[in-house]
Amino acid sequence: MKNTVKSINPFNNELLQEYKLFSDQQIAQVLQQTASSFSKWKKEPIDDRAKLLSKVGKLLELQKYKFAKLITQEMGKPLVQSIAEVEKCAWVCEFYAVNADDFLCDDLIETEARESFISYDPLGCILAIMPWNFPFWQVLRFAAPTLTAGNTVILKHAANVSGCAMALEQLFEEAGYPKGCFQVIIADHQQVESLIENTIVKAVTLTGSEKAGRHIAAIAGKNLKKTVLELGGNNACIVWEDADLDGHVKTMVNARMLNAGQSCIAAKRFIVVADIYEEFIAKFQQQVQLLHQGDPMDPETDISVLARPDLADIVAQQVTDSVAKGAEVLIGHKKDKAYYAPTILTKVTPDMPVFKEEVFGPVAAIIKAKDREESLALAANTAFGLGTMLFTQDLKAARHCIDQIEDGAFFINEMVKSDPRLPFGGTKASGYGRELSKEGILEFVNKKTVFLQ
């Protein structure tokens, strides 16, 4: 049985650091520390909690190049994108520092009582199980509201970004958070399951695969604990015949190729009506070929390696299996260790892996629809429900589609993206619950009815 995890640079295969798994005794100490910290932290005035969060945001901005370099080294994201990730984390901290008091204030309800209202009280320790693709953002968008609501946090991060996890723990300590408010563990699956079952842990949030989500939700459900699940996506990018390709094709390419396609909300299926199909392919291919590929530490690089070689293997196999069913490779489908070239597939049909499955890499599957009605039907033909994007100049018709889109997000003439001001989450196999906005901070509180007569 392995007792260590390794952080390896996927671009040059350099071993960055090796981390020991926590012993059961160490995890027990973390649990006791979080319980002790919560009893005091929940009593802190919300203004004081918000000031500490604001300091986290300022430290992120001051040290963004250091943190961005760590992200790039551990999971291969181009440096400019890593910098943008850290800047977004600073934004979410400032957003909740400013708005948490309003979001959590008692909600007065008029009844026959002398006074009745909803009080929003923290739950306790929340366990966060987080992925590697946005190793700072995924954590901060959960931790910022959750801590400010008065909860404490235990983070179990993806093994290959353990350095990012440790940096985040140090960040909260540097900002002045009391010991035990935000703690990191490096643990195996069995230890995580035991944590979920422990009475000190009150709820669980997971960002990851559908398989992981089902497993974690089953354990939490057995123990009657709340979960928020942000799982996979198979987002459709619908392109109608009146789309402004010259104005939006760069956005469409970015929606697929950002972070080498390793994003749950990436545009994965491009569903294009027949009238504009050939023009779309030509302009999309031209824009993809302008992407600068290379060393992720080079500020000029747009796209580089995937986070691990095995991830590139999975993507290559999905494409190979789709080609065997009739898909045609326009460009790409070349692999070298953790690198997988930006790839465009045409003649894609619903029976192919690149249509049915989530492809976590730089692969654009292009599907021809005969008209608008069929484009919507093809977009809905998926088990996932995270986000849909539609490109058209007919905004009246686009508005009429809102109730036909079952996803958690519908973006018109823009790529799907997360924003601290707006709720984020999915439906169906993409999970449940919401992060960000007011809805996000209210996920891990006790919405208590108070009735005074």
Side-chain angles (χ1 to χ4, degrees):
M1 180 179 174
K2 292 193 301 183
N3 61 358
T4 63
V5 297
K6 295 179 180 179
S7 172
I8 298 173
N9 185 322
F11 181 72
N12 58 21
N13 207 37
E14 175 189 353
L15 175 64
L16 299 169
Q17 196 158 343
E18 199 162 355
Y19 299 87
K20 283 187 177 181
L21 290 173
F22 278 37
S23 66
D24 292 343
Q25 182 180 3
Q26 285 176 300
I27 291 177
Q29 290 171 348
V30 168
L31 283 165
Q32 290 305 314
Q33 183 67 62
T34 199
S36 175
S37 180
F38 175 66
S39 65
K40 301 171 185 175
W41 179 244
K42 67 179 180 180
K43 297 174 185 176
E44 287 290 323
I46 192 166
D47 284 350
D48 291 347
R49 291 186 224 142
K51 286 176 184 176
L52 286 175
L53 185 63
S54 182
K55 189 171 181 182
V56 171
K58 290 179 173 62
L59 287 171
L60 283 163
E61 189 63 43
L62 285 170
Q63 302 178 59
K64 63 184 176 183
Y65 294 105
K66 179 184 79 171
F67 293 139
K69 182 179 177 182
L70 177 60
I71 292 169
T72 295
Q73 288 176 327
E74 285 208 305
M75 56 76 57
K77 179 178 301 183
L79 185 63
V80 290
Q81 295 177 24
S82 296
I83 293 169
E85 178 177 342
V86 178
E87 290 173 339
K88 193 170 184 178
C89 291
W91 178 22
V92 80
C93 289
E94 194 56 33
F95 174 78
Y96 280 110
V98 170
N99 293 291
D101 193 14
D102 287 340
F103 291 160
L104 294 169
C105 67
D106 293 344
D107 191 1
L108 299 176
I109 307 293
E110 188 173 337
T111 68
E112 70 276 13
R114 178 176 301 183
E115 186 179 3
S116 52
F117 58 92
I118 303 168
S119 174
Y120 299 104
D121 302 339
L123 297 178
C125 172
I126 314 299
L127 173 63
I129 304 169
M130 291 292 155
W132 46 262
N133 58 331
F134 291 89
F136 268 60
W137 171 245
Q138 303 279 15
V139 175
L140 265 299
R141 76 180 186 189
F142 151 76
T146 302
L147 286 166
T148 311
N151 299 293
T152 55
V153 168
I154 294 176
L155 169 64
K156 192 282 174 192
H157 218 326
N160 60 323
V161 290
S162 294
C164 289
M166 294 303 182
L168 286 163
E169 186 177 61
Q170 293 169 9
L171 172 68
F172 281 100
E173 289 179 5
E174 186 179 352
Y177 277 76
K179 185 174 176 60
C181 277
F182 183 97
Q183 298 178 95
V184 169
I185 60 165
I186 298 176
D188 61 25
H189 295 306
Q190 186 174 345
Q191 290 172 313
V192 171
E193 291 178 11
S194 296
L195 263 177
I196 297 171
E197 293 169 349
N198 193 287
T199 56
I200 292 174
V201 172
K202 302 305 181 187
V204 184
T205 183
L206 174 137
T207 299
S209 68
E210 178 189 351
K211 180 181 178 182
R214 290 182 184 276
H215 183 66
I216 294 301
I219 300 168
K222 185 178 178 181
N223 290 273
L224 296 178
K225 296 184 181 181
K226 178 172 183 176
T227 51
V228 169
L229 303 179
E230 200 278 278
L231 309 179
N234 194 8
N235 288 9
C237 175
I238 304 168
V239 185
W240 281 353
E241 73 285 346
D242 64 342
D244 177 7
L245 292 184
D246 290 332
H248 290 133
V249 71
K250 189 173 182 179
T251 298
M252 297 181 205
V253 168
N254 196 36
R256 172 68 276 201
M257 300 298 170
L258 182 72
N259 198 21
Q262 299 169 116
S263 171
C264 56
I265 55 172
K268 299 185 173 81
R269 298 173 299 144
F270 292 83
I271 300 170
V272 186
V273 295
D275 290 352
I276 202 172
Y277 182 76
E278 297 297 337
E279 182 185 359
F280 170 82
I281 289 176
K283 291 183 176 179
F284 190 88
Q285 178 180 347
Q286 182 182 39
Q287 191 64 44
V288 169
Q289 290 175 323
L290 291 176
L291 295 173
H292 186 273
Q293 304 169 44
D295 185 341
M297 291 299 294
D298 182 348
E300 299 298 316
T301 296
D302 298 309
I303 190 165
S304 188
V305 292
L306 275 65
R308 300 192 311 264
D310 63 298
L311 300 170
D313 292 338
I314 293 169
V315 172
Q317 191 62 54
Q318 288 173 304
V319 172
T320 296
D321 292 346
S322 298
V323 170
K325 289 179 173 290
E328 291 188 359
V329 177
L330 190 60
I331 59 169
H333 193 27
K334 297 174 182 176
K335 191 186 81 68
D336 181 14
K337 298 175 184 175
Y339 173 76
Y340 188 78
T343 299
I344 300 175
L345 295 180
T346 59
K347 298 189 177 179
V348 172
T349 55
D351 62 326
M352 298 175 182
V354 294
F355 187 101
K356 297 188 297 181
E357 301 171 7
E358 179 175 36
V359 180
F360 224 59
V363 177
I366 304 178
I367 302 101
K368 183 190 290 187
K370 64 183 179 183
D371 53 27
R372 293 183 177 189
E373 185 177 357
E374 187 180 41
S375 72
L376 293 168
L378 285 165
N381 184 9
T382 177
F384 297 95
L386 197 51
T388 293
M389 54 204 85
L390 169 61
F391 287 85
T392 178
Q393 297 183 66
D394 190 349
L395 297 184
K396 182 178 179 181
R399 284 180 174 275
H400 286 145
C401 295
I402 293 173
D403 62 355
Q404 298 180 54
I405 303 298
E406 297 179 339
D407 296 11
F410 183 32
F411 278 57
I412 300 165
N413 294 325
E414 180 57 280
M415 61 186 282
V416 174
K417 53 189 175 183
S418 54
D419 183 316
R421 299 163 295 187
L422 297 168
F424 181 87
T427 61
K428 302 188 287 187
S430 291
Y432 50 75
R434 292 295 180 265
E435 295 181 308
L436 303 175
S437 74
K438 181 177 180 177
E439 283 75 10
I441 203 169
L442 297 184
E443 284 287 1
F444 294 115
V445 295
N446 174 21
K447 299 166 186 173
K448 183 189 296 178
T449 293
V450 181
F451 191 98
L452 288 81
Q453 190 61 286

